[in-house]
Amino acid sequence: MMPSTLFLGQQLYYLPVCESTNSEAQQLLIKNEATEGCTIITHEQTNGRGQRGNIWQAQPGQNITLSVILSPTFLAVRQQFNLNMAVSLAVLDLLQEQGLQQAQVKWPNDLYFEDKKLGGILIENTINSHSLQHSIVGIGLNVNQRFFSYPTATSMANVCGMPLDLEKVTMRLLELLEKRYLQLRNGHTARLKYEYLQALYRYQEVHAFRVNDKEVQGQLVGVGEDGKLAVEIAQELHYFAFKEIEYVI
């Protein structure tokens, strides 16, 4: 099965087992063997990477584990978070199509249903002096796995109450990803940011956060152009980069 796309997923590698689809994508770039939209999908990932250096754990053959190579040279280095927004919204589009209307994006790029994690995105960018050169977009999405070692994780099947056709769901994700990427490439960043904020987990709500190992109450009010999270704490606006603030869930 192939996705109905212009370029994304048209060069497709399926690997029964690999350490990391992002690492496989990096090797294809080094060898100059990848066109834009090149996609690597695996049945089993043995050393998948997550945010904060965590290991992404998934049962073989139950979930989406893939990486896509993009060439967003139209984005300046300071605009790289726009790609995160577009990719996050593409995954959210898929979830909502499958009936998970309450799915949200947890900054910077995790997918949540209520207070449980459905998936995560890891984007690794290669930059030159002015713009992005290549981006490897790694997506892990819990589809049919029913049991997890972490109580804060769930899957599409758990929420829907039935298993899904993994191949069809994967191809649909690639189609939606291309749609959002083209939206970004065509300059519709204001619309992407608006939709990202509307879908943002705990947006404009007061919740507990952890900053410098101290728990504080804050209201998430937005995301800066550079991707920093804007949180109002004690009537003062603060901007936090990745790893500088943590949700308390």
Side-chain angles (χ1 to χ4, degrees):
M1 182 180 292
M2 295 291 289
S4 298
T5 55
L6 297 172
F7 63 94
L8 205 149
Q10 293 303 309
Q11 182 187 10
L12 190 132
Y13 292 87
Y14 173 74
L15 305 175
V17 181
C18 73
E19 285 196 1
S20 161
T21 55
N22 268 32
S23 296
E24 295 289 340
Q26 183 64 47
Q27 288 303 308
L28 289 172
L29 280 175
I30 291 171
K31 297 174 185 176
N32 199 28
E33 294 179 356
T35 58
E36 185 171 32
C38 176
T39 301
I40 300 93
I41 300 174
T42 190
H43 177 85
E44 179 180 0
Q45 189 169 240
T46 60
N47 192 29
R49 301 196 298 278
Q51 295 284 9
R52 301 179 188 270
N54 294 332
I55 300 298
W56 178 261
Q57 296 181 333
Q59 289 179 356
Q62 299 297 306
N63 307 304
I64 292 176
T65 309
L66 60 79
S67 295
V68 174
I69 297 172
L70 299 172
S71 302
T73 55
F74 54 88
L75 287 177
V77 174
R78 60 180 173 79
Q79 299 174 315
Q80 57 188 294
F81 192 74
N82 291 341
L83 181 60
N84 292 57
M85 292 193 296
V87 174
S88 297
L89 285 171
V91 184
L92 188 64
D93 291 340
L94 175 74
L95 294 170
Q96 292 181 341
E97 276 192 0
Q98 298 297 324
L100 285 76
Q101 299 298 329
Q102 296 178 357
Q104 293 179 294
V105 181
K106 177 175 166 286
W107 180 89
N109 45 18
D110 283 334
L111 283 302
Y112 265 58
F113 184 85
E114 296 177 346
D115 291 327
K116 293 191 174 183
K117 186 173 179 177
L118 282 164
I121 298 160
L122 178 64
I123 301 179
E124 298 176 307
N125 296 317
T126 303
I127 63 176
N128 58 33
S129 57
H130 302 292
S131 64
L132 301 191
Q133 185 175 5
H134 296 291
S135 296
I136 298 175
V137 178
I139 299 174
L141 186 61
N142 299 330
V143 180
N144 287 327
Q145 184 171 335
R146 303 307 293 263
F147 302 101
F148 297 87
S149 56
Y150 300 102
T152 54
T154 190
S155 68
M156 297 171 69
N158 278 346
V159 176
C160 297
M162 67 181 80
L164 291 87
D165 186 317
L166 184 60
E167 188 176 12
K168 286 184 179 178
V169 172
T170 303
M171 294 303 107
R172 184 57 181 153
L173 174 59
L174 296 179
E175 292 165 2
L176 293 168
L177 182 57
E178 181 179 86
K179 182 178 178 181
R180 286 295 188 177
Y181 181 65
L182 291 175
Q183 189 179 11
L184 175 63
R185 196 164 75 181
N186 290 331
H188 301 298
T189 52
R191 181 66 189 177
L192 287 167
K193 184 169 184 179
Y194 173 80
E195 291 189 49
Y196 183 86
L197 289 176
Q198 297 309 305
L200 196 57
Y201 179 68
R202 294 184 172 177
Y203 180 52
Q204 295 183 330
E205 298 175 6
V206 176
H207 283 279
F209 295 89
R210 190 169 289 109
V211 180
N212 296 325
D213 294 322
K214 180 182 177 182
E215 191 168 307
V216 299
Q217 292 292 314
Q219 183 179 25
L220 196 166
V221 297
V223 177
E225 183 185 10
D226 56 1
K228 289 184 178 180
L229 190 68
V231 182
E232 188 177 284
I233 301 171
Q235 298 183 324
E236 288 188 10
L237 188 60
H238 299 264
Y239 287 88
F240 296 95
F242 185 54
K243 297 186 180 181
E244 292 179 349
I245 188 169
E246 183 181 352
Y247 290 78
V248 176
I249 299 174

